[in-house]
Amino acid sequence: MNNFTFQNTTKIIFGKDTEGQVGHELKKHGKRVLLVYGGGSIKKTGLYDKIVKSLNDNDIYHTELYGVVPNPRVSLVREGIKLCRNEKIDFILAVGGGSVIDTAKGIAIGVPYDGDVWDFYDGSVQIETALPIGVVLTIPAAGSEASSSSVLTNEDGWYKLGTGSDLIRPKFAILNPELTYTLPPYQTANGASDIMAHVMERYFTNTKDVDFTDRLCEATLKTVISNVPTAIAEPDNYAARAEIMWAGTIAHNDLLGTGRDQDWASHNIEHELSAIYDVAHGAGLAVIFPAWMKYVYKHNVDRFAQFAVRVFNVDYDFNNPDKTALEGIERLKQFFTSIGLPITLEQLGIEDNRFEEMADKCTNGGKMELGGLVKLNKEDIIEIYKLAKK
Ligand code: NZQ
Ligand code: ZN
């Protein structure tokens, strides 16, 4: 096990009706709030009214920024920064999913910074200060409610890049599984794929003696695998929604990665799909992750065989561990298919071959390699896109 420091400061408030606590919780941190939300699901579900009431009841001033789209754009973040400066905002409240939270985080770092906020995302400056953020989560998926990162898309060139710092971990995240009853099956499935990918990016490692975190990862994966079909069949099944929601936060709050090298190639390879084709992140991962696994499994067959046996109950073939590893990948694809996700680029509706361009972008013109388990160069990444084609 590697040395590590672990500190996650996000306060989690979990359970039924907890969104009513938002004003009370928020007034510990701010008085003038920017409320950020997406395309309107929170208005349809009535959540918006509850949030506004709780803010009013606690004498908190608020103004709004709405219209955040999946694969959120930096242009809206720039608008939010201006609004915050004009209105002297001291706290950002995100009500929604990863896209809304990442927009809120972008605004939070942009307000106190003199330059353009994209500087943080292209890596030219580091985060040194940020406005505080709070979250009311409506979709378990990105894990942004307790993560230290934000991912935005720049329409100028269609780059999707992330930035990170402990300074942008939300002060609190309110998680009421009831708020996820209205998720359509496809969004529930996208969320599941993203949650699983966050675990697998940490699970597939060459670090030795990490049995405790291996087991935590496996438990998280098995929880998602067993509860997502239930949540899709019975959208208002509280027990299933609650298991998925808590698993989604744990998958990406850094606990599962303690003491181990991590991979993250699949996420970077997927971000190019979301940037260029505007596909949902979770759906893109369901296509890319199995292709990445097929491409790299021979570098650590034991680990892929362990995944197959412990997560998907595959019988270990002592004469042929490769077969066991491959069966695990097959079962993962079957699971994704069973919950309605695409597993090929064609199923995702991507028929052309912009593989060279995407591989070039995610390796910064071929200058960077991706991945912790295996270092992948631009040519490797093109091969993974080809494997994902059909
Ligand atoms: O915009 P509205 O109308 O609210 O609809 C949203 C949106 O269309 C809808 N939705 C959310 N909650 C709902 C609901 N519909 C009905 N009922 C509800 N309760 O779901 C759609 C997707 O929302 P989005 O926020 O885009 O989903 P998700 O949470 O999957 O976020 C994806 C984004 O997070 C980034 C991804 O790259 C992607 O841009 N990620 C952020 C990470 C981080 N900051 O730590 C890590 C992840 O790896 C990921 O990259
Ligand atoms: Zn993700």
Side-chain angles (χ1 to χ4, degrees):
M1 196 189 298
N2 300 336
N3 290 0
F4 66 88
T5 302
F6 173 69
Q7 182 177 22
N8 189 308
T9 47
T10 303
K11 176 176 182 179
I12 304 292
I13 301 169
F14 191 100
K16 293 181 181 174
D17 300 324
T18 43
E19 65 276 15
Q21 296 176 37
V22 68
H24 174 74
E25 201 54 41
L26 201 155
K27 72 178 176 198
K28 298 173 192 166
H29 305 280
K31 288 192 176 75
R32 296 180 64 83
V33 173
L34 179 72
L35 168 58
V36 184
Y37 57 97
S41 73
I42 72 161
K43 289 218 161 151
K44 276 191 219 133
T45 59
L47 176 60
Y48 171 87
D49 293 336
K50 290 187 197 166
I51 299 293
V52 169
K53 180 176 184 313
S54 182
L55 296 179
N56 290 342
D57 287 350
N58 286 277
D59 296 323
I60 296 166
Y61 169 82
H62 89 273
T63 187
E64 297 180 9
L65 181 78
Y66 55 89
V68 174
V69 292
N71 299 318
R73 312 290 199 254
V74 70
S75 52
L76 191 71
V77 169
R78 291 187 183 118
E79 253 182 62
I81 293 168
K82 272 193 215 141
L83 188 58
C84 284
R85 288 180 183 154
N86 289 342
E87 295 268 355
K88 303 209 175 350
I89 293 299
D90 59 11
F91 191 94
I92 323 274
L93 178 64
V95 182
S99 299
V100 171
I101 304 166
D102 287 1
T103 298
K105 288 175 172 177
I107 297 167
I109 54 178
V111 172
Y113 176 61
D114 285 340
D116 179 46
V117 67
W118 189 251
D119 295 348
F120 295 106
Y121 293 82
D122 73 9
S124 46
V125 291
Q126 300 297 310
I127 300 169
E128 283 176 9
T129 178
L131 291 184
I133 304 154
V135 172
V136 178
L137 188 66
T138 62
I139 171 171
S144 186
E145 66 277 10
S147 84
S148 59
S149 51
S150 162
V151 189
L152 292 180
T153 297
N154 191 336
E155 303 95 313
D156 183 8
W158 297 104
Y159 289 93
K160 184 168 181 178
L161 294 172
T163 188
S165 160
D166 279 327
L167 293 165
I168 57 171
R169 279 193 209 276
K171 297 289 174 208
F172 63 84
I174 294 182
L175 276 58
N176 175 358
E178 294 170 312
L179 300 179
T180 69
Y181 290 173
T182 50
L183 282 170
Y186 189 59
Q187 292 297 354
T188 301
N190 281 335
S193 154
D194 195 17
I195 294 168
M196 291 177 73
H198 295 157
V199 181
M200 295 189 294
E201 297 282 16
R202 294 168 166 100
Y203 188 79
F204 292 110
T205 181
N206 296 317
T207 311
K208 301 268 184 242
D209 301 321
V210 286
D211 199 40
F212 175 58
T213 42
D214 273 359
R215 300 285 182 182
L216 291 177
C217 287
E218 290 152 6
T220 311
L221 290 169
K222 287 177 89 91
T223 299
V224 173
I225 292 164
S226 67
N227 284 286
V228 166
T230 310
I232 289 174
E234 304 163 36
D236 54 359
N237 184 313
Y238 183 83
R241 292 291 192 185
E243 299 284 359
I244 299 164
M245 200 166 206
W246 189 215
T249 301
I250 293 296
H252 200 42
N253 78 345
D254 290 341
L255 174 67
L256 303 188
T258 46
R260 46 205 293 148
D261 296 337
Q262 305 179 21
D263 193 79
W264 296 100
S266 301
H267 260 71
N268 284 299
I269 296 170
E270 191 293 315
H271 282 166
E272 299 310 324
L273 296 181
S274 285
I276 292 183
Y277 301 99
D278 204 19
V279 299
H281 174 59
L285 285 168
V287 172
I288 295 299
F289 224 105
W292 171 84
M293 291 166 93
K294 268 216 167 120
Y295 193 71
V296 304
Y297 82 93
K298 278 186 189 289
H299 291 266
N300 194 337
V301 174
D302 288 351
R303 182 142 285 273
F304 282 85
Q306 176 181 304
F307 170 83
V309 170
R310 293 196 192 164
V311 178
F312 280 107
N313 308 319
V314 176
D315 289 332
Y316 192 84
D317 187 334
F318 288 93
N319 297 318
N320 194 347
D322 279 50
K323 200 174 151 209
T324 311
L326 285 170
E327 180 58 24
I329 301 169
E330 209 40 51
R331 299 260 181 111
L332 178 67
K333 287 164 76 170
Q334 284 166 12
F335 173 71
F336 286 150
T337 303
S338 75
I339 59 170
L341 287 171
I343 52 166
T344 65
L345 290 172
E346 280 188 8
Q347 289 174 4
L348 201 52
I350 298 174
E351 303 274 343
D352 57 6
N353 297 313
R354 293 169 71 176
F355 302 158
E356 157 84 29
E357 178 190 349
M358 292 191 290
D360 194 67
K361 272 170 128 180
C362 70
T363 56
N364 195 11
K367 294 195 282 281
M368 255 170 56
E369 291 182 319
L370 299 183
L373 185 92
V374 184
K375 292 267 172 250
L376 301 173
N377 62 27
K378 182 176 158 185
E379 299 312 315
D380 294 315
I381 292 160
I382 292 172
E383 291 308 313
I384 291 172
Y385 284 127
K386 283 186 190 162
L387 269 178
K389 196 165 164 55
K390 44 182 158 190

